[in-house]
Amino acid sequence: MIASHRYSTTAFHSLFSPALGIAVCIALILCFAKTPLSALQSLFTDTFTSVYYFGNMLNTAAFFMLAGSGSAIAIKSGNMNLGGEGQIYAGGFVGCIILNALHLPAPIVFAVALIASAATGAVIALISAPLKEIRGARVLLTTFLVSAACIPLIDGLIIASKNTSQTNLLALPYIADSYKLPQLLPPSPLSWSLFVAVAVCLVLWRIMFHTQAGRKLQLWGTAPVFAKYCGYSMRLNTSATLAISGALHALTGFFAICGTYYTCHKGFYTNMGWNALNVALISRSNPLAVIPVSLLLSWIFTSASRVSLTQGFGFDIAGIVQSVILFSIAIPFFAKKRGGAV
């Protein structure tokens, strides 16, 4: 009975935020849509009947899975990474630079760019590790601050590039066709990065829940004092999980460049990091649950954006829904904390 109650409570908390987001979306449609009934039907069905929007939904879900799994492993280890957006941006920027700069066989250049992109994200996230160990700084705060510093720096590098003045775009040169990931459902940008994202989620789930290293990782997240007295290394836990988290966020940026945008332009990362955090929190940092949660949130945002466009809304429904979901995630946690205090 206790286990059943716990599972039902967990399921309710996980579904609460997406359900509230859908409810807000429906309310906005009823209030502002030109044809509310048609818009509601479009919200629930049209994404699945359009090849472009269905492929775009799956492509967005792939980004959520990859970055969401990076957020999940960081949260599970007790090192919440709030620097996802800067790491995504940096990964896409470095990958695009290398793909344009090296003149070697395409497979070699692609592999070098992918590795360099992942390494860049790992290094940016790892800056927070010594700050935690030496100064006792919270990873949650330092990852956010480092990311906030990286974003304007990359913006400046893009603006200062010669390509910007030639094309009047705040972007690096477009990558060559040989580096573009083939589309699976044209004209949508869906590529095989979806399968990479699913594989990453499955591998992380296996490591976190079926290996000794994964059990140690989770112990640091749930009982850090006990983990310390067990003799487990805090330095190794912090460094390893932050490096993996940063690398996965950076790879999200890399695949966004190679499969969707084909260039690194200013602001392409917008909302990716926060949506990944939404996915990780709703899925309770379980990489296996990241997959369906990513698909659900991707459907909500894609459908909301489609309705906003077709109904001529003067504002972005998807952005509002995203904000509602992000803030509503905290409600069960605050309620639980208040109940415990009482």
Side-chain angles (χ1 to χ4, degrees), residues 109-125:
V109 176
F110 189 89
V112 170
L114 186 148
I115 294 171
S117 175
T120 300
V123 168
I124 293 175

Side-chain angles (χ1 to χ4, degrees), residues 297-310:
L297 292 190
S298 178
W299 166 71
I300 293 174
F301 298 148
T302 301
S303 299
S305 296
R306 177 188 174 98
V307 170
S308 181
L309 179 65
T310 56

Side-chain angles (χ1 to χ4, degrees), residues 33-310:
K34 297 176 181 178
T35 54
L37 294 181
S38 175
L40 284 177
Q41 181 182 359
S42 176
L43 176 69
F44 289 101
T45 63
D46 285 6
T47 297
F48 302 101
T49 59
S50 166
V51 173
Y52 172 77
Y53 280 101
F54 182 68
N56 192 52
M57 182 196 77
L58 294 179
N59 187 62
T60 302
F63 296 153
F64 289 177
M65 290 177 202
L66 202 53
S69 60
S71 293
I73 192 173
I75 295 172
K76 207 71 171 177
S77 67
N79 299 293
M80 181 175 283
N81 178 12
L82 292 188
E85 301 225 320
Q87 294 154 19
I88 291 171
Y89 200 10
F93 176 77
V94 170
C96 191
I97 287 287
I98 293 176
L99 291 175
N100 282 308
L102 293 185
H103 302 286
L104 296 171
I108 296 177
V109 176
F110 189 89
V112 170
L114 186 148
I115 294 171
S117 175
T120 300
V123 168
I124 293 175
L126 276 172
I127 295 175
S128 297
L131 294 176
K132 176 183 179 181
E133 183 177 356
I134 299 172
R135 303 294 299 178
R138 291 181 176 271
V139 171
L140 179 148
L141 178 62
T142 55
T143 51
F144 176 78
L145 292 177
V146 172
S147 173
C150 287
I151 289 173
L153 175 61
I154 298 173
D155 285 345
L157 293 173
I158 291 177
I159 293 172
S161 68
K162 294 180 179 179
N163 185 69
T164 297
S165 60
Q166 293 174 352
T167 63
N168 293 321
L169 294 174
L170 299 180
L172 295 177
Y174 283 92
I175 62 176
D177 290 342
S178 56
Y179 303 131
K180 296 178 181 179
L181 300 179
Q183 296 176 330
L184 300 182
L185 285 177
S188 77
L190 178 65
S191 68
W192 52 260
S193 61
L194 173 64
F195 304 110
V196 174
V198 171
V200 167
C201 290
L202 294 176
V203 170
L204 278 184
W205 172 76
R206 177 70 181 178
I207 292 173
M208 289 171 61
F209 292 96
H210 294 86
T211 66
Q212 184 178 4
R215 286 188 286 272
K216 290 180 181 179
L217 179 153
Q218 294 188 66
L219 190 60
W220 274 109
T222 55
V225 176
F226 183 69
K228 181 179 180 180
Y229 280 110
C230 287
Y232 300 153
S233 172
M234 182 182 72
R235 177 186 301 179
L236 178 60
N237 173 71
T238 303
S239 299
T241 54
L242 282 178
I244 294 172
S245 179
L248 290 175
H249 278 94
L251 286 177
T252 303
F254 177 79
F255 284 118
I257 296 302
C258 293
T260 302
Y261 302 110
Y262 307 130
T263 182
C264 179
H265 63 80
K266 184 179 177 182
F268 83 86
Y269 61 88
T270 303
N271 293 330
M272 284 189 185
W274 295 114
N275 284 328
L277 186 62
N278 284 341
V279 168
L281 292 172
I282 293 173
S283 64
R284 301 288 170 172
S285 302
N286 184 332
L288 194 61
V290 162
I291 297 174
V293 171
S294 296
L295 290 169
L296 175 61
L297 292 190
S298 178
W299 166 71
I300 293 174
F301 298 148
T302 301
S303 299
S305 296
R306 177 188 174 98
V307 170
S308 181
L309 179 65
T310 56

